[in-house]
Amino acid sequence: MTWLDALWLGLLQGFTEYLPVSSSGHLQIAQALMGNTDGEENLTFAVVVHAATVCSTLVILWREIYSLLRGTASLRWNEETQYMAKIFLSMIPVGIVGLFFKDYVESLFGAGLMLVGVMLLVTALLLVFANFAKPRKGKISFSDALIIGISQAFAVLPGLSRSGTTIATGLILGDRKEDVAKFSFLMVIIPILGEAFLDLMKGGLTHEASGISAAALVVGFAAAFVSGCVACKWMLSIVKRGKLVYFAYYCVAAGLFAIIYDLV
């Protein structure tokens, strides 16, 4: 992978991470079109650029994160502590997947676009269902947090949008749009950064292990971070206006393209 490839793929990852169109699915499609079918290289790059977009979440939502940390530091069962508890509860399902099914999930990257296409169609279906949901609750409950966390665990599949799945799940449960969007963006911070840290400790990000140069990883990280900052702010605005259903049409088109491309 050249640094120019990394720049293009990093920008793609950043722009699609927060939009409900599956960043992992788009990376798979783009890498297939570029002729890169090395699953290990694809996976390593995906880990790096996902970490970059999580860092963009820290920048865009820093006020909310600071408020949560300050409230939790008081060691009282206040609103901030309860919110943090809900975030940790939501991480349990994806943690279980990471512990027991990591190798299986990793094997899906670089395994063709058929699964990506089907999961993009599933994403579109979820967005359509969410379009008809009405807010019925004041706050995200603990049970909602767990259910949203379960949906995030399923979204490790390439092509199934993590943001689209978790936000759609929250909307279907009756939570408010802006609350679900922020919760969706915050709940993924620790799992993704934790995965990137573990890969770093195991040496998985070295050129010898991944086949990607340090320059390409740095360029990809920087591109994903910058474009992620833009996309995060845009997505929060889109959710407030309730325009997610339009992304369903795009997911259908992208999904059909991926399926046809794989068959041909």
Side-chain angles (χ1 to χ4, degrees):
M1 180 183 296
T2 67
W3 71 267
L4 193 58
D5 293 336
L7 175 63
W8 152 241
L9 292 174
L11 290 173
L12 180 66
Q13 157 65 26
F15 281 125
T16 56
E17 171 65 22
Y18 298 100
L19 303 181
V21 296
S22 179
S23 61
S24 62
H26 277 72
L27 283 180
Q28 290 277 79
I29 293 172
Q31 287 168 331
L33 293 175
M34 293 164 59
N36 181 10
T37 58
D38 187 335
E40 185 65 33
E41 182 175 306
N42 293 346
L43 180 61
T44 300
F45 187 79
V47 169
V48 170
V49 292
H50 273 84
T53 48
V54 165
C55 289
S56 66
T57 304
L58 298 177
V59 172
I60 300 302
L61 298 179
W62 73 269
R63 289 186 178 86
E64 289 82 352
I65 295 171
Y66 174 74
S67 177
L68 288 173
L69 294 177
R70 185 178 62 179
T72 305
S74 68
L75 301 180
R76 297 177 181 176
W77 192 242
N78 51 29
E79 185 175 344
E80 291 80 10
T81 304
Q82 293 178 42
Y83 196 91
M84 287 293 287
K86 293 172 186 176
I87 288 178
F88 280 106
L89 179 62
S90 73
M91 295 190 309
I92 293 176
V94 76
I96 293 174
V97 172
L99 284 174
F100 299 104
F101 303 101
K102 187 174 187 293
D103 291 340
Y104 173 73
V105 172
E106 289 181 350
S107 69
L108 299 176
F109 286 81
L113 297 184
M114 178 60 70
L115 177 61
V116 171
V118 172
M119 290 299 103
L120 279 168
L121 297 181
V122 173
T123 298
L125 189 61
L126 286 171
L127 294 176
V128 171
F129 282 142
N131 185 56
F132 297 101
K134 302 297 181 184
R136 304 182 300 275
K137 304 176 182 179
K139 296 179 181 179
I140 295 174
S141 66
F142 280 93
S143 61
D144 288 353
L146 180 58
I147 295 172
I148 295 172
I150 293 172
S151 71
Q152 177 175 245
F154 281 104
V156 298
L157 296 172
L160 187 56
S161 169
R162 192 206 64 81
S163 62
T165 300
T166 53
I167 292 175
T169 299
L171 294 178
I172 292 171
L173 290 171
D175 296 311
R176 294 183 300 185
K177 298 172 183 176
E178 54 270 28
D179 292 341
V180 174
K182 288 183 179 180
F183 189 81
S184 171
F185 296 162
L186 292 172
M187 68 189 287
V188 76
I189 291 176
I190 295 177
I192 290 185
L193 290 183
E195 181 182 9
F197 178 76
L198 290 176
D199 274 9
L200 179 63
M201 292 296 98
K202 292 186 298 184
L205 302 185
T206 63
H207 175 70
E208 291 76 15
S210 66
I212 308 176
S213 68
L217 288 177
V218 170
V219 169
F221 183 95
F225 173 77
V226 173
S227 57
C229 288
V230 175
C232 184
K233 294 190 69 172
W234 186 32
M235 183 60 180
L236 290 171
S237 175
I238 290 174
V239 172
K240 289 180 181 179
R241 296 198 301 268
K243 304 297 184 181
L244 291 182
V245 69
Y246 295 118
F247 290 101
Y249 307 139
Y250 174 82
C251 286
V252 169
L256 292 176
F257 172 82
I259 292 172
I260 295 172
Y261 184 89
D262 189 78
L263 292 174
V264 173

